[in-house]
Amino acid sequence: MAATSDQGFAVPVVPLSSGKPMPRVGLGTASFPHCDDGDQPHVREAVLRAIDAGYRHFDTAAVYGTERAIGDAAAEAVRAGTLASRDELYITSKLWIADAHPGRVLPALRKSLRNLQMEYVDLYLIHFPVSMKPQEGGAGAILVKEDLVAMDMKGVWEEMEECHRQGLAKAIGVSNFACKKLEYLLSFAQIIPAVNQVEVHPYCRQNKLRAFSREKGIQLCAYSPLGGKGAPWANNSVMESPIIKQIAQDMGKTVAQVCIRWVYEQGHCVIPKSFNDKRMRENLDIFDWELTDDARHKISSLPEFRGTYDFFVHDSGPYKTAEEFWDDEIAAGHPAN
């Protein structure tokens, strides 16, 4: 499977340990604040334009509020003949922390599938390695730090495996897991996670996790490849980096293209998020050129920081420090916005 864009090039794919191959570049659909019903037409139209541009990999999550819009766009693209069937798409969704409890995983996925109007997702991920007490009144999309609790990872993963066995998720995986937590999961998993979706960009290079994941046969998929602009953890250091700007200028590329190409060259899948037509197409135009050795060296020397830092840290929760949450795989300090 390789998606062909309206510009005539195919998006490369990578085989996974389960399910079908994943397109190496996808479209992220998270926005902050998360989408509500009024945003659905906007997201739907953006997804339709992305399909026209050649995207076949779409990333969503229960908490994003974009599942229904993606499902609407997919159904319309099939009706219009742009897609032969839903099977041409690669759809990822994620289990939110309020549903990361034994007994709640399958119902959560079934709800996502109803929103998507699909019989299966290609990949279903545990969104974060932490749980939250289920919220009254269906307010589970809200992060309540005081309600954070330790995840029953074994019980939750067993239900993720059941999602896979029932064909509701063609592949299963995790998101925001560092090495120690992955190692613990692998100690009991009957099905290894096909993917770990994590923050990766030139200032968050994830070298330790990359090596560990490669050894274990787990594909890394990068979110926030441009530093997460518009997200609560956004930092302008990536897009405003003088070094990356100079590399882009020297190569006749955009800063975003340099960042996405760098992630691509690490062997990862990458999911930039832009609903702007021009930038959508630019973000796919990264396959027929390479970074120079000098550019790679400069990027490898940049200071490191993590944007998704301490959102799940609380004195009453299972993780009292960011170091605990990220298994000490964080760089000290954060650059100024």
Side-chain angles (χ1 to χ4, degrees), residues 260-272:
I260 295 167
R261 177 69 202 188
W262 178 83
V263 174
Y264 179 81
E265 288 187 6
Q266 308 315 302
H268 309 327
C269 296
V270 56
I271 43 174

Side-chain angles (χ1 to χ4, degrees), residues 40 42 46 73 166 174 185 197 206 215 223 253 267 271 302 335-336:
Q40 298 299 322
H42 168 65
Q166 292 190 21
V174 296
L185 188 154
Q197 187 183 117
Q206 299 276 19
E215 176 190 339
Y223 70 75
K253 305 297 180 182
I271 43 174
L302 293 171

Side-chain angles (χ1 to χ4, degrees), residues 158-201:
E158 285 174 353
E159 291 201 15
M160 294 288 287
E161 292 179 334
E162 184 61 23
C163 293
H164 178 69
R165 279 190 287 269
Q166 292 190 21
L168 303 177
K170 299 300 185 183
I172 53 175
V174 296
S175 183
N176 297 294
F177 274 52
C179 291
K180 288 179 185 175
K181 293 178 182 63
L182 269 179
E183 200 157 30
Y184 174 61
L185 188 154
L186 290 170
S187 72
F188 54 75
Q190 299 297 307
I191 301 171
I192 69 165
V195 169
N196 185 14
Q197 187 183 117
V198 293
E199 179 183 2
V200 184
H201 51 70

Side-chain angles (χ1 to χ4, degrees), residues 53-271:
Y55 288 86
R56 296 295 182 267
H57 175 185
F58 293 92
D59 183 83
T60 184
V63 74
Y64 297 168
T66 56
E67 290 174 329
R68 184 158 58 85
I70 290 174
D72 287 345
E76 183 166 333
V78 171
R79 283 195 302 270
T82 310
L83 301 174
S85 73
R86 173 263 180 268
D87 293 345
E88 290 190 25
L89 297 178
Y90 196 99
I91 304 295
T92 299
S93 195
K94 309 180 192 76
L95 175 76
W96 181 235
I97 59 175
D99 288 319
H101 301 274
R104 298 182 67 92
V105 179
L106 275 159
L109 176 52
R110 290 192 179 105
K111 182 178 180 181
S112 287
L113 292 174
R114 287 194 299 272
N115 288 336
L116 287 161
Q117 306 155 62
M118 295 178 181
E119 295 181 355
Y120 68 91
V121 291
D122 295 284
L123 178 65
Y124 196 47
L125 305 177
I126 298 175
H127 207 151
F128 288 95
V130 68
S131 298
M132 186 173 72
K133 295 175 185 175
Q135 306 296 292
E136 294 182 13
I142 300 169
L143 172 60
V144 182
K145 284 194 169 191
E146 292 81 1
D147 288 342
L148 292 172
V149 294
M151 179 189 290
D152 176 357
M153 196 180 296
K154 189 171 189 294
V156 169
W157 190 251
E158 285 174 353
E159 291 201 15
M160 294 288 287
E161 292 179 334
E162 184 61 23
C163 293
H164 178 69
R165 279 190 287 269
Q166 292 190 21
L168 303 177
K170 299 300 185 183
I172 53 175
V174 296
S175 183
N176 297 294
F177 274 52
C179 291
K180 288 179 185 175
K181 293 178 182 63
L182 269 179
E183 200 157 30
Y184 174 61
L185 188 154
L186 290 170
S187 72
F188 54 75
Q190 299 297 307
I191 301 171
I192 69 165
V195 169
N196 185 14
Q197 187 183 117
V198 293
E199 179 183 2
V200 184
H201 51 70
Y203 284 86
C204 183
R205 295 187 287 280
Q206 299 276 19
N207 292 334
K208 180 180 179 181
L209 184 61
R210 179 184 310 127
F212 180 87
S213 300
R214 185 178 295 120
E215 176 190 339
K216 302 299 183 182
I218 300 169
Q219 176 67 44
L220 285 191
C221 187
Y223 70 75
S224 296
L226 313 181
K229 185 176 180 181
W233 59 84
N235 193 289
N236 292 334
S237 296
V238 178
M239 293 301 287
E240 296 300 324
S241 167
I243 290 173
I244 299 178
K245 282 184 173 181
Q246 188 62 54
I247 292 170
Q249 182 177 322
D250 292 346
M251 299 193 69
K253 305 297 180 182
T254 68
V255 168
Q257 286 173 323
V258 168
C259 292
I260 295 167
R261 177 69 202 188
W262 178 83
V263 174
Y264 179 81
E265 288 187 6
Q266 308 315 302
H268 309 327
C269 296
V270 56
I271 43 174

